[in-house]
Amino acid sequence: MSKVISTDKAPAAIGPYSQAIETDGFVFTSGVIPVNPATGEIPVTVEEQANQAFSNLRNLIEASGNSISQVIKTTVFIKEMNDFGKINEIYAQYFSEPFPARSCVEVARLPKDVLLEIEAIVKK
């Protein structure tokens, strides 16, 4: 049986989807964007957006009763591959060894025209 995970400490879903779903010992998050959940504001720089998105992701994972240290896989969608190094530096502040497996892809456009989005799989 699946359980819906939601929190007001991460951006609310802006469509017909759940923030995260827990099933069979895993938590699967939807893509998390860098929107401040309290104000609705989006930071300007890629570094600020990365911090906000990763903080939102951490808050969502904690709402599921888990820790960001339990993340086993992430996918990061970025608007500009030239920002990869900057995003990587912020990523390393949220994740530690052994680092989760990760995919990172450049995309043409993201919701609300943000610069990055991240999703994760957590092993309970």
Side-chain angles (χ1 to χ4, degrees):
M1 177 162 276
S2 296
K3 175 183 173 187
V4 174
I5 307 297
S6 64
T7 180
D8 60 2
K9 293 181 180 177
I14 55 176
Y17 61 90
S18 300
Q19 287 176 304
I21 295 288
E22 180 182 326
T23 188
D24 296 328
F26 292 92
V27 174
F28 298 87
T29 75
S30 291
V32 178
I33 60 175
V35 173
N36 181 315
T39 66
E41 294 178 4
I42 299 170
V44 177
T45 69
V46 70
E47 294 92 345
E48 293 168 329
Q49 286 197 22
N51 266 313
Q52 184 67 63
F54 299 151
S55 176
N56 291 343
L57 179 68
R58 181 185 57 214
N59 292 342
L60 180 55
I61 291 167
E62 288 176 354
S64 74
N66 295 287
S67 162
I68 200 164
S69 67
Q70 294 168 264
V71 172
I72 59 170
K73 170 74 167 82
T74 64
T75 304
V76 182
F77 305 93
I78 61 177
K79 175 122 185 194
E80 175 60 56
M81 194 56 76
N82 290 331
D83 289 334
F84 179 81
K86 294 174 188 174
I87 293 168
N88 225 22
E89 287 179 26
I90 306 301
Y91 185 97
Q93 294 173 18
Y94 286 84
F95 297 96
S96 57
E97 292 190 39
F99 295 108
R102 180 179 74 184
S103 300
C104 182
V105 295
E106 181 181 77
V107 296
R109 194 166 180 205
L110 291 163
K112 298 187 178 274
D113 290 319
V114 297
L115 302 176
L116 74 149
E117 180 175 355
I118 184 169
E119 63 183 26
I121 300 171
V122 180
K123 176 76 168 107
K124 292 190 65 80

